[in-house]
Amino acid sequence: LGTHWGFVTFRSPKTAHIAAQIHCAKDAGAFKVFLAPDPRDVVWVNAKSSKLEKWTNTTLVVCMFLGIFAFWTPVVMALSAFVTIDRIEGTIPGLGDVMSKSPTLRAVVSGFLATAVLKIFMTILPWLLHALLQYECVPTK
C-alpha cells in the first residue's frame, strides 16, 4: 500500500495497551503510537494520501467550514424572513381568505411553517459536512 503508517496485531488487549505506552526511541516524538481503529473504520483510499495532499485538503475543508458557517446564518435568517404567513398569503391566491376565517389555523400554520421549512433546510447540513470530511483524506470514519 505504501503508507507512512502501519498496524501491529497483538493477542491480548492488555499487551496492546502496554505496547502503546512504551517509548520506542530516545526521542519521544519519533513514533506516534495509537491503538488501531477497527479495520472496518479505515478509509483505505485515504490511507495512502501524502502529507501534502492531507494538508491541502484539510486547509480547503477548514476554509469551506468557515464559509458554511459564515454564510449559513444569513441564509437561515433570509429563509425565516421569507417563509412568513403574510408573504405566502400574497403568493397563493385564496389562502388569505381561509386564514382570515380561522385565526387558530393561521396561528398553527404561521408557527409550523417556518419551523418545518427550517428543519428541511437543516437536513442538508449533515450531508454537506459528511461530504467535506470525506474529501479531507481522514484515514478513519
Side-chain angles (χ1 to χ4, degrees), residues 29-51:
F31 294 104
K32 292 182 182 178
V33 180
F34 303 99
L35 295 176
D38 188 83
R40 293 171 294 193
D41 290 338
V42 176
V43 181
W44 295 103
V45 174
N46 292 345
K48 59 183 175 183
S49 301
S50 69
K51 287 184 180 184

Side-chain angles (χ1 to χ4, degrees), residues 57-74:
N57 289 353
T58 300
T59 303
L60 286 172
V61 168
V62 167
C63 290
M64 288 179 196
F65 269 104
L66 292 174
I68 286 171
F69 290 117
F71 295 110
W72 194 261
T73 303

